[in-house]
Amino acid sequence: ISGILLYLVITVVVNLRNLLMLGADGIKLFPFSSYLAVSIIAIGEFLTRVEVIIGINLMICGFYKVAGCAFSAAIGFSAVFRIAEYKYFAVSVCLIILTLAQFMFKTSADALEFVKTYKYYVLGYQLFLPAAILITGTVKKRRRQAVQTAAEADGEPSAP
């Protein structure tokens, strides 16, 4: 519970900093409002260029996000093709990601434009797909339990 509390405090402080420095319109206008808010900070000659820390943080988080997606895709491919080792798909998935990135975004401006519409694309993957998987898994589990209960009631030994 202390981790959740720490996350809550950090999130409130960061959002409050962004709101006080940029205003509500500034937060809506800029996709990376934390980066812009921190770039304004300059305390004398000592504390300047703090946005480098936020930029490094964004790059690290982006790397882990792509790595997690690639890892999940490799596991998914191994499940679809019924191959025990997901490692066989790791390089292929990374090459597919690189190729698609080259075709999708010709310039960095294209990538920034995509950030504005990203929330609509990702809605299906972060909300609908996990919900469908959860519902399907729950239904399969209940059916399996019902079959197992019916088999036990008939006196048949249950399968492990």
Side-chain angles (χ1 to χ4, degrees):
I1 220 140
S2 62
I4 295 172
L5 186 62
L6 180 65
Y7 169 76
L8 179 68
V9 169
I10 290 172
T11 303
V12 167
V13 168
V14 166
N15 284 325
L16 189 61
R17 178 205 61 208
N18 293 347
L19 182 65
L20 292 175
M21 292 188 79
L22 300 175
D25 293 333
I27 290 175
K28 290 178 189 175
L29 186 61
F30 300 107
F32 302 107
S33 57
S34 286
Y35 185 80
L36 185 66
V38 172
S39 69
I40 296 171
I41 295 175
I43 301 174
E45 295 293 321
F46 176 70
L47 192 60
T48 58
R49 305 293 295 175
V50 183
E51 70 266 16
V52 172
I53 296 170
I54 297 295
I56 291 170
N57 186 23
L58 286 171
M59 286 176 40
I60 290 171
C61 290
F63 171 78
Y64 278 111
K65 186 175 186 178
V66 171
C69 289
F71 180 69
S72 300
I75 290 175
F77 280 130
S78 69
V80 166
F81 294 116
R82 299 180 192 265
I83 295 175
E85 288 292 323
Y86 70 90
K87 295 174 186 174
Y88 298 124
F89 293 101
V91 174
S92 301
V93 166
C94 290
L95 290 174
I96 290 170
I97 290 172
L98 285 172
T99 305
L100 286 176
Q102 290 291 322
F103 284 121
M104 285 179 64
F105 310 118
K106 300 294 183 201
T107 65
S108 58
D110 292 341
L112 280 175
E113 189 64 32
F114 182 71
V115 168
K116 295 175 186 173
T117 59
Y118 174 73
K119 57 187 168 190
Y120 303 114
Y121 286 107
V122 82
L123 191 63
Y125 296 107
Q126 289 185 351
L127 181 66
F128 299 128
L129 188 61
I133 291 170
L134 177 66
I135 291 168
T136 304
T138 304
V139 168
K140 281 186 173 184
K141 184 177 179 181
R142 287 188 182 166
R143 282 186 187 165
R144 193 176 317 125
Q145 287 175 346
V147 168
Q148 189 175 19
T149 304
E152 288 174 359
D154 290 341
E156 297 176 13
S158 61

